[in-house]
Amino acid sequence: MAKQLHIFVENSPGRLKAITENLSKIDIDIRAFAIQDRGDFGLMKLIVNDPEKAHLSLADLGCACALKDVLAISVPDSPGNLHRLLTALAANKINIIDAHGFVLQPNKLGVCILEIENLAQTNAEKIVKDAGFEILDDAQLYSL
Amino acid sequence: MEIRYWNKDIETADIKSIRSLQLQRLKAIIASALQTPFYKKKLPSVGINSPDDIKSLDDLRRIPLTSKDDLRQNYPKGFLAVDTSEVVRIHTSSGTTGVPTVIYLSAKDLDAATDIMARSIYATGTTKNDILQNMMSYGLFTGGLCMHYGAERVGMMVIPAAGGNTKRQVQLMKDFRTTVLHITPSYLLHVRSKLDEYGVNVGDLALKKAFVGAEPHSENTRKKIEGLFNIDAYNSYGLSEMNGPGVAFECVHKNDLHIWEDAYIAEIINPKTGEILPDGSEGELILTNLIRHAMPLLRYHTRDLAFLHTDPCPCKRTHRRLSRILGRTDDMLIINGVNVFPSQIEEVVMRIPEVGTNYQIYVEKEGALDRLVVKVELYSKIFLGEAKQIDNLKTKIADELRASITITPVIELHEPGMLPVFEGKAVRVVDNRPKL
């Protein structure tokens, strides 16, 4: 299963830059990112080439960060596919905490990153696969 | 102007009679104090073993001062002079830590305190024909209940509205033709800013007066309140340890507060040296309660800075007058009328494992009201990566703080290491409210 790096950042100028600066120093490649905004703070969510290394490096610097299991789902880039995926999850009462998506190959392949509530206790993976989607692990995310 | 007295004999007694009454009452209070675990030890150490050892008011100076810290260390019963079966009411006030200070009142004490409160109300020209909307908190805080009892004693119709829910407050003022408010100055200004929003004109209300207290304010704030509402605003002074809001009150002349010397002995000391200062000198107000026997309190450090004076008042009351409160000798914050010690906040923050040990307290104005912001750092190792965890943590910190300080602060969570680190004396409290 794919790992996403979650970093607690307060809402003030320069805080995101402090993260990217540290990651660039250790040659981490950021493939995708999103920010969950909560007013006076936010969570920066990163899909990177080496999640463990990035996590350890930031933790050493004293950052509040954690690796989270997420579903990285390969979604063909054509109308209706995201809807089909969400319909399958909704039908099974799977709750999505947060999500972001990015296009890897325009008109061909997109990736949808889903943070699922109580992921380990659900059968979300099976539901996604049964609906005809492929779930990517870290290595696949980077070989695409 | 017709001057009404609640108890003309006492309010206009010559100063010699007042001093003589004080001595008589002090001796009686010493007798009660000698029944308490605290003073039973303290008084004999200065040679006071019975009321007869007090020969004149000068002997008061032999009695050591009592502080909030003494109250805390002897919580809950170290100052109690009677069996709890004789107690009819307790009140508490914020302590410097999670331990509050408590006062006990017997039925007789409550009657005496109520009478002093009624006297204060009456001095402003308020009568039984007035309708009081009491917008101070009820419950453990003395401001609500003690005013309520005093107003009932005067015979007023009392609306026990308590604080908050401004829209309902205004509706009550309209529906019941409220003529007098008991309220903090900041909340009163807030109410004014809301009237336009509710489409209510000041002229639609029947307000005539406001008793403003529980937080220090300037003469300019009073003028502003009076102008905005077209009312008279009377300054009041009190503290829970001395039975609440009726310790000193302004009369219709609104020229400093008459301190009821038959009920309290007031002294002003130099807060640094402890030296007793003459009338007219600014210093810390020290109070001895002469009307509470269930829990005597002698020479109590109010930590309020003020001065006393004997300028004649056109109302002919003879009791000395107390100036506006000019400041504090400690770091107590008064936030929307609620007393808060930074040490209370520190104690709570330090016992929450999810936050670091660095914190800052900000106080600022949001409109007319005060806003307390507590800034803490997230402890990095506990972060599990979920926004909900942070939201829950903020709620938990706010709840635990509210349990200690009774008001709900805004919690700001910062990244580890982002709050300023101080090498010398830490600047933990930043009060950005305009100076009085």
Side-chain angles (χ1 to χ4, degrees):
Chain A
M1 200 175 296
K3 299 276 186 200
Q4 183 167 251
L5 180 57
H6 289 195
I7 308 150
F8 172 80
V9 271
E10 58 186 61
N11 191 351
S12 60
R15 296 318 302 149
L16 295 175
K17 175 222 145 214
I19 306 292
T20 51
E21 186 172 5
N22 284 305
L23 293 179
S24 66
K25 275 186 197 159
I26 54 165
D27 288 327
I28 292 291
D29 182 25
I30 300 170
R31 176 133 262 185
F33 78 96
I35 291 171
Q36 188 177 6
D37 175 39
R38 294 285 218 192
D40 63 339
F41 75 93
L43 297 193
M44 190 181 196
K45 301 185 171 183
L46 300 175
I47 296 291
V48 297
N49 59 336
D50 191 340
E52 300 286 350
K53 183 179 168 191
H55 177 225
L56 284 176
S57 165
L58 291 180
D60 277 351
L61 292 167
C63 287
C65 53
L67 285 179
K68 291 288 289 180
D69 286 332
V70 290
L71 291 185
I73 302 157
S74 153
V75 182
D77 184 16
S78 60
N81 283 326
L82 180 60
H83 177 64
R84 201 156 54 76
L85 170 66
L86 296 178
T87 303
L89 291 167
N92 289 280
K93 305 230 182 307
I94 299 294
N95 192 36
I96 299 167
I97 299 173
D98 197 20
H100 60 106
F102 53 100
V103 174
L104 269 181
Q105 298 161 334
N107 301 319
K108 277 192 180 165
L109 181 62
V111 176
C112 177
I113 306 286
L114 296 183
E115 224 181 305
I116 304 289
E117 188 176 350
N118 302 321
L119 177 60
Q121 281 87 56
T122 66
N123 57 347
E125 272 186 273
K126 184 173 182 300
I127 293 159
V128 170
K129 282 178 187 156
D130 288 353
F133 294 94
E134 187 189 355
I135 292 180
L136 310 172
D137 62 20
D138 285 329
Q140 284 170 302
L141 264 176
Y142 274 86
S143 60
L144 286 168
Chain B
M1 197 183 307
E2 190 207 345
I3 305 293
R4 293 195 189 88
Y5 304 96
W6 182 252
N7 184 336
K8 189 174 183 189
D9 288 351
I10 281 190
E11 290 172 61
T12 61
D14 61 84
I15 212 71
K16 222 176 124 197
S17 313
I18 294 173
R19 296 289 167 255
S20 153
L21 181 60
Q22 281 185 325
L23 178 60
Q24 180 197 329
R25 289 188 170 174
L26 177 62
K27 291 172 88 145
I29 278 290
I30 293 286
S32 297
L34 285 165
Q35 303 301 311
T36 70
F38 179 81
Y39 287 118
K40 203 183 273 179
K41 267 194 252 163
K42 202 89 170 178
L43 294 178
S45 73
V46 293
I48 300 169
N49 295 292
S50 95
D52 294 336
D53 291 325
I54 300 289
K55 309 271 192 246
S56 77
L57 283 178
D58 284 341
D59 285 327
L60 183 74
R61 300 179 177 211
R62 290 160 58 193
I63 301 171
L65 299 174
T66 302
S67 67
K68 206 178 219 343
D69 211 37
D70 292 322
L71 295 179
R72 179 172 67 84
Q73 283 167 14
N74 294 278
Y75 179 87
K77 287 192 173 172
F79 282 84
L80 186 58
V82 297
D83 188 81
T84 43
S85 63
E86 299 301 315
V87 174
V88 296
R89 167 100 64 85
I90 73 159
H91 279 288
T92 69
S93 156
S94 49
T96 48
T97 66
V99 180
T101 59
V102 58
I103 62 160
Y104 299 91
L105 297 155
S106 68
K108 217 173 142 188
D109 296 343
L110 184 59
D111 182 67
T114 299
D115 200 66
I116 291 288
M117 191 69 249
R119 187 197 293 177
S120 299
I121 293 169
Y122 221 64
T124 64
T126 304
T127 69
K128 73 180 290 292
N129 298 323
D130 282 297
I131 294 163
L132 177 78
Q133 188 160 326
N134 192 7
M135 295 167 69
M136 292 284 188
S137 312
Y138 276 68
L140 290 165
F141 175 57
T142 46
L145 272 174
C146 292
M147 172 61 72
H148 183 108
Y149 270 53
E152 282 187 351
R153 178 75 54 97
V154 169
M156 303 170 79
M157 178 169 115
V158 184
I159 306 167
N165 199 343
T166 308
K167 193 162 193 177
R168 189 182 61 183
Q169 298 278 6
V170 172
Q171 193 64 46
L172 288 166
M173 289 176 205
K174 278 171 70 181
D175 293 350
F176 297 101
R177 310 301 293 155
T178 303
T179 62
V180 183
L181 302 176
H182 180 217
I183 187 168
T184 62
S186 55
Y187 191 33
L188 187 49
L189 288 170
H190 177 71
V191 170
R192 182 62 189 82
S193 70
K194 287 287 185 183
L195 288 183
D196 299 336
E197 190 181 309
Y198 305 152
V200 174
N201 295 317
V202 169
D204 298 338
L205 304 173
L207 298 178
K208 291 193 294 188
K209 295 183 175 72
F211 306 150
V212 289
E215 59 188 26
H217 57 285
S218 63
E219 189 59 37
N220 283 341
T221 303
R222 184 227 299 270
K223 293 256 159 65
K224 190 170 166 189
I225 286 169
E226 293 188 326
L228 285 171
F229 283 94
N230 193 23
I231 56 172
D232 289 301
Y234 299 90
N235 193 3
S236 67
Y237 175 75
L239 58 162
S240 287
E241 293 89 331
M242 290 292 141
N243 300 350
V247 174
F249 230 85
E250 283 184 327
C251 71
V252 288
H253 298 287
K254 295 190 283 193
N255 185 13
D256 288 338
L257 300 84
H258 292 275
I259 187 157
W260 305 119
E261 296 197 79
D262 55 315
Y264 303 96
I265 298 178
E267 302 166 88
I268 296 286
I269 64 164
N270 177 326
K272 291 204 176 77
T273 63
E275 175 202 359
I276 297 170
L277 301 176
D279 285 347
S281 311
E282 183 187 330
E284 184 190 343
L285 178 65
I286 303 294
L287 289 174
T288 297
N289 191 323
L290 296 174
I291 55 167
R292 193 177 64 217
H293 288 267
M295 186 200 158
L297 206 44
L298 309 171
R299 303 194 79 203
Y300 183 68
H301 269 293
T302 66
R303 304 288 180 198
D304 285 319
L305 292 169
F307 61 89
L308 294 164
H309 67 83
T310 52
D311 297 350
C313 183
C315 77
K316 304 252 182 347
R317 287 182 180 84
T318 47
H319 300 233
R320 281 185 295 172
R321 272 175 292 157
L322 176 70
S323 69
R324 283 185 179 281
I325 299 306
L326 306 165
R328 294 279 301 175
T329 66
D330 60 11
D331 58 358
M332 186 179 88
L333 298 164
I334 301 175
I335 298 165
N336 294 325
V338 177
N339 300 343
V340 175
F341 290 93
S343 50
Q344 290 177 283
I345 294 173
E346 172 169 321
E347 192 193 35
V348 171
V349 168
M350 290 299 161
R351 66 164 187 252
I352 296 177
E354 294 95 328
V355 298
T357 52
N358 204 2
Y359 68 94
Q360 274 194 308
I361 298 164
Y362 274 73
V363 193
E364 48 207 31
K365 277 282 177 196
E366 189 174 47
L369 296 177
D370 299 331
R371 194 169 94 114
L372 172 66
V373 182
V374 177
K375 301 184 176 187
V376 292
E377 289 176 0
L378 179 66
Y379 177 56
S380 63
K381 303 233 175 349
I382 64 100
F383 182 57
L384 301 173
E386 286 182 22
K388 203 170 173 184
Q389 181 196 10
I390 306 291
D391 293 338
N392 291 345
L393 176 57
K394 286 170 78 169
T395 307
K396 174 181 158 179
I397 300 169
D399 285 351
E400 294 210 10
L401 279 169
R402 189 184 51 213
S404 175
I405 64 178
T406 75
I407 53 175
T408 308
V410 175
I411 303 299
E412 257 185 34
L413 261 184
H414 289 263
E415 289 172 46
M418 287 304 287
L419 290 179
V421 178
F422 298 95
E423 290 185 357
K425 192 174 163 27
V427 182
R428 300 280 191 204
V429 180
V430 180
D431 194 337
N432 285 329
R433 292 176 292 186
K435 295 282 164 282
L436 285 178

